[in-house]
Amino acid sequence: DQFITESKTLRDSYKQLQALNAEHKQINDGIPITPVMQELPPAQRRFTHIQNRGSYLDPGDPVNPATPAAFNPWRTEWPVNRLGLAQWLVDDTNPLTARVLVNRYWGQFFGTGLVRTSEDFGVQGELPSHPELLDWLARTFMERGWSMKELCRVIVNSATYKEEATVTPAVLAADPNNRLFARGPRFRLEAEMVRDQALAVSGLLSEKMHGPSVMPYQPEGVWQVVYNGEDWKQSIEEDRYRRGLYTFWRRTSPYPSMIAFDAPSREVCELRRIRTNTPLQALVTLNDPVYIEAAQALGRRIMRYAGNDIDAGLSYGFQLALSRPPEANELATLKVLYEDCLATYAEQSEEAIKIATQPLGPLPPAMEPAQAAAWTLVSNTLLNLDEIITKI
């Protein structure tokens, strides 16, 4: 220490080292820590016993780690721990893991798995509709290195997936649930996707990744905790436009608009969501502030693109929402809606400002309130079409 104090060069270097150490500590302290389980040494592992009549006070015979005898046998070279269990799960002689996985991916693309009860492959689950196809997909998946990307490529390039989703009365009567895959998949998007798609079409969706959960719009009074002072503190700026994946979730009071679209409360693990169709879903997409704000942003996006050209604006908005140009009758219907709304709000300036600005915020100086309100309602209509919330 005395030598460092006497040398100016070493003193300056020492101060710089202290500053770097402090910065290093600050960075390390800010990194989230995840507990990781580790195997105990063999001498410290506890013995597990059968509990007679379920009582831990009455232990019976000891039991050892093992796998069900109905499946592939355990190889002697595998360690009897979690690493060995992982090796057993993905062994070539074990078809179950690959079957379960490819069935889940098939369900993501087609709405329903080859085994409808994707959460239950046991004796209480349903049998596969196409067992040979399930086996082939599982075998191919394993042979191609368990590549998820390759599995998705195989499914989406199949002739079955490329079928049109249109259905004739005869086909509908013979196969109402499309278990024979005579037509392409058609099903409503999941709750988080419905919200994310509205934000994406409007241009509001944030691409920010990772970080803590966020609290977007939610009706007042929904989140009330009796025994503490916690409340729903609405996120600001781009955080309120983040993907639904990042929405803060309390199991006893889940995010209401997602619950309306069949998102689980997460009190228990649910692999398969049962889809429902209720009037409440339409009320959400028509009136929830998230979707109103998305409609306002989409309306402004259309105005910036098309200016006063109504036909160009309608075609542009339709293309953004549905990824296809509008047909003549669709364009005519939307044009009538726009003109009616424009005439109404031209006489109701205060209401026009409210419709066009709450909750998104003030209009840019060049935008007329009546036009912005009309485009907001047209955009709200586009975002509520069955085609936009349905995977076709």
Side-chain angles (χ1 to χ4, degrees):
D1 292 343
Q2 182 180 0
F3 181 70
I4 291 176
T5 304
E6 293 175 355
S7 171
K8 183 179 184 305
T9 302
L10 289 176
R11 188 166 61 249
D12 292 343
S13 299
Y14 183 67
K15 289 181 179 179
Q16 184 179 8
L17 179 61
Q18 285 184 311
L20 291 172
N21 284 335
E23 183 180 356
H24 183 265
K25 183 179 184 302
Q26 183 180 6
I27 293 173
N28 278 340
D29 291 343
I31 298 175
I33 298 176
T34 303
V36 177
M37 294 180 64
Q38 292 183 337
E39 295 284 351
L40 289 171
Q44 299 180 16
R45 296 176 188 172
R46 68 181 178 89
F47 289 98
T48 301
H49 296 263
I50 295 174
Q51 297 176 355
N52 293 322
R53 301 181 64 85
S55 173
Y56 68 92
L57 297 175
D58 186 11
D61 296 334
V63 293
N64 298 312
T67 53
F71 298 119
N72 54 309
W74 189 276
R75 297 187 184 181
T76 56
E77 63 266 26
W78 293 337
V80 186
N81 54 25
R82 289 180 297 153
L83 173 60
L85 177 62
Q87 292 172 323
W88 175 82
L89 284 172
V90 298
D91 187 60
D92 286 345
T93 60
N94 182 6
L96 183 60
T97 304
R99 282 177 180 168
V100 169
L101 198 53
V102 299
N103 187 68
R104 292 182 184 181
Y105 273 80
W106 185 276
Q108 289 292 317
F109 284 107
F110 287 90
T112 305
L114 295 168
V115 177
R116 184 193 297 273
T117 54
S118 53
E119 74 284 0
D120 187 354
F121 265 59
V123 294
Q124 295 184 354
E126 290 192 16
L127 294 175
S129 59
H130 298 70
E132 295 86 357
L133 175 58
L134 181 63
D135 288 346
W136 182 84
L137 284 171
R139 186 74 258 170
T140 302
F141 181 51
M142 297 169 72
E143 290 174 350
R144 298 186 183 182
W146 299 79
S147 171
M148 307 293 184
K149 184 179 293 186
E150 181 65 21
L151 173 62
C152 293
R153 183 182 294 112
V154 168
I155 294 175
V156 300
N157 283 330
S158 66
T160 305
Y161 186 74
K162 295 177 182 179
E163 291 278 358
E164 291 187 2
T166 54
V167 57
T168 63
V171 171
L172 185 62
D175 184 22
N177 296 319
N178 198 27
R179 298 300 289 151
L180 301 179
F181 303 109
R183 56 188 185 276
R186 178 188 177 96
F187 56 92
R188 200 200 61 236
L189 300 178
E190 295 186 355
E192 296 86 350
M193 297 180 184
V194 173
R195 177 182 178 275
D196 291 352
Q197 181 165 247
L199 293 175
V201 170
S202 68
L204 292 176
L205 184 66
S206 169
E207 296 183 359
K208 183 179 177 181
M209 300 288 287
H210 315 299
S213 300
V214 296
M215 295 182 175
Y217 290 113
Q218 178 173 269
E220 293 289 338
V222 171
W223 212 53
Q224 292 181 345
V225 184
V226 177
Y227 299 107
N228 60 45
E230 293 183 359
D231 58 357
W232 186 270
K233 297 179 182 178
Q234 185 173 300
S235 300
I236 59 175
E237 297 178 350
E238 75 166 322
D239 278 349
R240 64 182 180 180
Y241 306 127
R242 297 194 68 187
R243 293 172 54 199
L245 175 70
Y246 296 103
T247 301
F248 189 93
W249 202 271
R250 181 183 288 277
R251 290 191 295 269
T252 55
S253 182
Y255 194 60
S257 70
M258 292 187 188
I259 290 295
F261 281 97
D262 308 316
S265 65
R266 304 186 190 176
E267 293 174 279
V268 295
C269 178
E270 288 190 23
L271 176 63
R272 181 170 59 111
R273 297 183 183 183
I274 307 300
R275 293 181 181 86
T276 62
N277 293 293
T278 69
L280 184 60
Q281 294 165 351
L283 291 175
V284 168
T285 52
L286 283 167
N287 299 287
D288 188 288
V290 170
Y291 296 93
I292 295 298
E293 187 173 30
Q296 291 168 346
L298 177 56
R300 297 182 189 186
R301 187 177 180 182
I302 293 172
M303 292 178 71
R304 285 192 294 269
Y305 173 84
N308 294 322
D309 190 335
I310 300 174
D311 290 343
L314 292 172
S315 297
Y316 178 66
F318 199 95
Q319 185 80 42
L320 284 175
L322 303 180
S323 301
R324 67 173 178 85
E327 297 179 2
N329 61 326
E330 294 169 330
L331 187 64
T333 301
L334 289 172
K335 189 170 184 179
V336 171
L337 173 62
Y338 173 81
E339 292 173 346
D340 288 348
C341 292
L342 181 63
T344 299
Y345 289 115
E347 300 175 355
Q348 302 178 19
S349 57
E350 292 185 3
E351 190 67 20
I353 293 174
K354 179 181 177 181
I355 291 293
T357 61
Q358 297 179 7
L360 184 57
L363 286 168
M367 290 189 180
E368 182 68 27
Q371 287 182 325
W375 279 118
T376 295
L377 293 186
V378 170
S379 300
N380 185 252
T381 301
L382 290 173
L383 294 177
N384 275 274
L385 294 175
D386 179 70
E387 190 173 340
I388 195 174
I389 64 171
T390 303
K391 180 185 182 301
I392 302 176

